[in-house]
Amino acid sequence: MTLNQFPALLPLMLVFSLAAHAAPHLPPGAKALPSAAPRGLGPLALVNLNHIVFGSAYVFGGQQPDLFVAGYGGPKVVHLFKWVDTAENGAPIFAQPVQVESQFTDAGTVFQAKDGGIHGFWIANDQLVHTVFDRDALSFRETGRIPLVKAIRSPSSLAALANGDGSYDLAFEMSNGGKGPEGHPWTEEWRPYNSSGIAMGELRYRYLFGARLPALLRGPLEQVRQITPTRREVFFSMCQIAGVNLGPGHERDLVTGSRQGNLVFYRNPASTGWNLEPRRLIAGEDGNALRHPTINPSVCAYPNARNGISDLIACGEGALYFYRFTGRFTAAGAPIYQDPVPVLQEQADLYAGTLPVPTVVDWNGDGALDILAGNSEGFILFFENIGTSDQPRFLPSTRVQAGGRDIQVQAGYAGSLQGLQEARWGYLSPNVVDWNGDRLPDIITGDITGNFMIYLNRGSPKKPRLEPAHPLYCDGIDLHGMWRVRPAVGKFGRRMTIAIVDGDDHFHHYWRIDDYNVEDAGKLLLADGKTIGASGGPGGQSGRCKLDFFDWNQDGNLDLIIGTARVNSIPDRETGSPMPAIGKKTIGTPLLMLNIGTVAVPKFARPVPFRTQAGEIIQPGGAHETGAVATMLGGNGPNLLICNEAGRMFLLPKAELQTEKSN
């Protein structure tokens, strides 16, 4: 996928290009926490924010096809995953990836011809490029280019269906144009909604054009025409197109992804060419449309080993998921698939979703500290420690539930200050604490909306049972501050307090009154009495930091551990960290602010980054928020648990860290 495909994301993607000037840095030998499941199984995810699945093919001669996957928001590299097994729930299991040489890393499709050859079609500006995959060299070799006609302008993705005569029918994803809101989401003037709360700008949609390629290496394109009934088919993006075989009468159908997570189905009863029926939404077993767990899923047909019918693999932001086709259709003609389950990989890292925000607690009462983590997908994940607190071993995550349902917070229509296009993000940032003194861990969260919610635990130490989310109130008004902030929670003296980033962009704390109410306790202050600012700018640059109270230097006072984004500037915009003190083109950096006041009346020193013993600043990777907490996990603590934005977690021993620059 290209930046042109996501014009409203240009400010967001700009962060990645700026961050490319700063490389992640961890202590020597630091490795992501691994999965402790048998064979190291865990969700398949690259070290990227988003994934594109190009196609499947039998590369290594296994019983099931292997998978070609790339990513954006991170290294732009094509990877090949070898199929090794199938899980009990039908999900494929793959080996660790190998890198594939390819000059193309987006806007393509990979397919296998009847003779076993593996081919790729790619869009390069105004040309269609054909490549052949070399199994020995693990390389896509370009063999030719064909000009795209003017009617097919700037397509974003494509699919290819083979015909018996050696020709190919192509489908191209096209944009109907449309402009988003005026201005830039990092300015005070940005207004993504009007005074009536309606999204500004035009709603952009995608549709399909079709064409016939006479042969793999021969043009020009023929039979060029629009093949969907309208030019208003899928909101914002289809992400990817896949040809699917769903049985007799459905051998040449199409499926697309979508920005909002719907999987869109087009029946194509034509034996050659295109005769697409109106779109239908792929349904779940309850008859309702399925919605992918995360934003921007691309799609790939993955043939069932028994009958060759197309199951699906879909991936967008976050890990890859597998959808099994039931063989049935709704009365309206939509194919019915089972709910998605994670695609698995051997020897996997623990995967916490994108932009994870961790917290450490003994969640299941077995005496070993576990990890809970929120993420940009809006979930809270539980990583059970089957080892000990000193020598932890974690299983892959399960989703935390409240009120009997998975917790998932997302912006919805108007919940993101950057506009409607961010409806499927949540940026859920949890903190676990015994808020009401009943000796059970509760969860308090910040998120994309700037609201702060509590999930009270009404279970037992060994079996947590969370009530649904409930707002926290101050003066009868929902407690609200800057977006994407993790609240710090702890006791100053004998009083429970919660700290957030307030509407003035300052660290601000509130005393607990009862389960759902707090009262204003004032700004948190530096030792010189000045307020502590958080943000490097307005709008989308605001908030984003992850606050945590912890006694880092073990002097009895609660200090502040802060996970930051590149755009944070703490304690002020002129001299703050990480921007500009560490650099305007740096990346997210965990910070420490020591409490040099008292237990009851804290005053904080200016922030300093954590450093290796060689004096290099700890930066786990990514321009977006970097989750960070201090913990006794790992023994001989306090230690530092940090995350990169691609979902990996690192437990860094205090012995490997310092907080003052070496002379």
Side-chain angles (χ1 to χ4, degrees):
M1 298 181 184
T2 63
L3 290 185
N4 290 333
Q5 184 173 350
F6 298 124
L9 285 182
L10 284 173
L12 181 68
M13 300 299 284
L14 178 62
V15 173
F16 298 130
S17 62
L18 292 174
H21 293 271
H25 190 81
L26 295 166
K31 294 183 179 180
L33 293 176
S35 166
R39 299 165 58 185
L41 291 180
L44 188 154
L46 297 173
V47 188
N48 295 81
L49 288 180
N50 298 268
H51 294 86
I52 311 167
V53 55
F54 291 126
S56 63
Y58 292 90
V59 179
F60 300 109
Q63 298 176 15
Q64 286 284 92
D66 311 301
L67 204 62
F68 290 90
V69 184
Y72 60 98
K76 296 193 71 175
V77 177
V78 178
H79 292 86
L80 174 60
F81 288 86
K82 178 183 178 180
W83 176 88
V84 293
D85 204 352
T86 300
E88 290 185 5
N89 62 8
I93 301 172
F94 295 93
Q96 291 187 318
V98 294
Q99 185 171 326
V100 168
E101 182 181 346
S102 175
Q103 69 180 104
F104 306 101
T105 58
D106 60 8
T109 185
V110 174
F111 57 93
Q112 194 156 23
K114 289 184 178 180
D115 63 4
I118 300 169
H119 304 264
F121 284 142
W122 313 89
I123 298 164
N125 297 320
D126 59 351
Q127 294 180 315
L128 177 69
V129 182
H130 174 246
T131 61
V132 173
F133 183 69
D134 185 326
R135 287 177 167 87
D136 295 326
L138 294 178
S139 173
F140 280 102
R141 176 174 51 86
E142 182 177 332
T143 61
R145 298 187 175 214
I146 295 172
L148 295 175
V149 298
K150 290 184 178 180
I152 304 176
R153 59 189 184 280
S154 302
S156 299
S157 64
L158 77 161
L161 297 184
N163 294 312
D165 61 359
S167 65
Y168 282 80
D169 290 312
L170 306 181
F172 295 92
E173 176 188 352
M174 308 292 293
S175 172
N176 73 348
K179 294 182 179 181
E182 297 292 331
H184 193 291
W186 289 5
T187 64
E188 291 289 3
E189 295 73 31
W190 171 254
R191 294 293 181 271
Y193 303 95
N194 66 19
S195 60
S196 300
I198 303 302
M200 300 286 284
E202 300 170 294
L203 294 182
R204 287 156 286 180
Y205 281 82
R206 299 295 173 125
Y207 64 99
L208 295 176
F209 245 65
R212 172 71 58 83
L213 186 66
L216 279 176
L217 299 177
R218 190 173 80 243
L221 294 178
E222 303 170 346
Q223 303 177 27
V224 178
R225 63 184 179 87
Q226 179 180 320
I227 57 175
T228 48
T230 75
R231 295 197 173 192
R232 190 182 169 92
E233 293 290 321
V234 175
F235 171 66
F236 207 89
S237 172
M238 290 179 173
C239 301
Q240 192 81 345
I241 317 164
V244 295
N245 172 14
L246 301 185
H250 292 275
E251 295 91 346
R252 294 170 51 84
D253 298 338
L254 292 179
V255 172
T256 82
S258 73
R259 171 76 168 187
Q260 298 305 103
N262 291 326
L263 303 179
V264 182
F265 169 73
Y266 291 95
R267 188 184 178 206
N268 178 37
S271 58
T272 62
W274 302 110
N275 182 24
L276 299 188
E277 295 181 356
R279 67 172 187 174
R280 300 174 174 95
L281 300 182
I282 286 180
E285 293 188 277
D286 62 359
N288 295 309
L290 285 172
R291 207 177 195 208
H292 192 71
T294 66
I295 196 169
N296 286 336
S298 63
V299 291
C300 164
Y302 196 76
N304 188 287
R306 298 190 311 273
N307 53 26
I309 298 301
S310 297
D311 296 323
L312 296 176
I313 289 177
C315 54
E317 182 154 338
L320 279 67
Y321 287 85
F322 172 76
Y323 293 77
R324 172 174 276 176
F325 181 47
T326 65
R328 295 180 285 116
F329 294 81
T330 66
I336 298 172
Y337 280 79
Q338 293 179 356
D339 287 345
V341 294
V343 174
L344 298 176
Q345 175 188 321
E346 292 182 318
Q347 305 306 316
D349 297 330
L350 288 180
Y351 183 69
T354 50
L355 280 60
V357 182
T359 186
V360 177
V361 64
D362 180 6
W363 184 246
N364 57 2
D366 64 357
L369 291 171
D370 308 300
I371 297 173
L372 271 68
N375 55 36
S376 68
E377 301 147 37
F379 295 110
I380 299 178
L381 305 179
F382 166 50
F383 296 87
E384 182 182 1
N385 182 359
I386 59 173
T388 66
S389 293
D390 288 349
Q391 295 182 317
R393 297 173 60 242
F394 295 100
L395 294 176
S397 67
T398 57
R399 293 176 187 163
V400 177
Q401 294 194 331
R405 295 186 176 184
D406 292 347
I407 294 172
Q408 188 178 25
V409 174
Q410 296 190 325
Y413 184 89
S416 172
L417 59 83
Q418 290 194 156
L420 174 62
Q421 72 274 6
E422 296 199 344
R424 289 298 312 276
W425 273 305
Y427 302 115
L428 194 55
S429 302
N431 201 329
V432 179
V433 65
D434 180 6
W435 175 249
N436 56 4
D438 64 358
R439 300 184 179 180
L440 298 176
D442 310 301
I443 300 180
I444 298 178
T445 63
D447 58 44
I448 191 171
T449 67
N451 294 322
F452 294 90
M453 312 293 286
I454 185 164
Y455 298 81
L456 286 173
N457 187 350
R458 302 302 191 188
S460 67
K462 291 185 179 296
K463 292 185 178 181
R465 180 174 57 83
L466 297 178
E467 291 185 341
H470 194 290
L472 290 174
Y473 303 117
C474 181
D475 297 328
I477 304 170
D478 291 36
L479 185 64
H480 186 87
M482 294 295 184
W483 75 329
R484 297 165 69 165
V485 169
R486 178 188 194 248
V489 189
K491 284 187 176 180
F492 290 166
R494 296 184 178 180
R495 301 193 69 180
M496 183 67 73
T497 189
I498 176 173
I500 66 171
V501 180
D502 67 16
D504 296 325
D505 193 35
H506 295 148
F507 289 10
H508 197 131
H509 77 118
Y510 302 81
W511 299 120
R512 178 185 181 275
I513 297 174
D514 58 31
D515 287 355
Y516 306 125
N517 292 274
V518 298
E519 61 182 350
D520 194 346
K523 314 268 188 180
L524 294 178
L525 302 174
L526 294 171
D528 61 7
K530 293 182 179 179
T531 56
I532 306 170
S535 307
Q541 296 182 89
S542 64
R544 295 177 180 260
C545 54
K546 313 303 180 183
L547 308 179
D548 191 49
F549 288 132
F550 196 93
D551 184 2
W552 177 258
N553 59 3
Q554 299 292 282
D555 65 353
N557 294 342
L558 289 178
D559 308 306
L560 270 171
I561 311 294
I562 309 169
T564 70
R566 179 184 66 81
V567 294
N568 285 123
S569 188
I570 303 168
D572 57 66
R573 295 183 185 179
E574 291 72 36
T575 65
S577 291
M579 184 181 75
I582 297 174
K584 289 188 176 181
K585 295 182 180 180
T586 190
I587 53 181
T589 308
L591 301 175
L592 169 66
M593 296 183 73
L594 289 174
N595 178 1
I596 55 178
T598 66
V599 173
V601 184
K603 292 184 179 180
F604 293 94
R606 290 181 63 87
V608 294
F610 293 90
R611 297 177 181 269
T612 68
Q613 289 298 329
E616 296 177 293
I617 294 174
I618 298 294
Q619 294 180 308
H624 293 95
E625 299 94 301
T626 298
V629 293
T631 176
M632 291 299 181
L633 188 67
N636 300 314
N639 302 312
L640 189 66
L641 178 65
I642 58 176
C643 303
N644 66 20
E645 65 180 26
R648 272 60 176 183
M649 297 183 286
F650 303 85
L651 183 59
L652 306 182
K654 187 175 183 180
E656 297 181 5
L657 305 173
Q658 58 173 327
T659 54
E660 296 293 335
K661 186 176 182 180
S662 299
N663 294 324

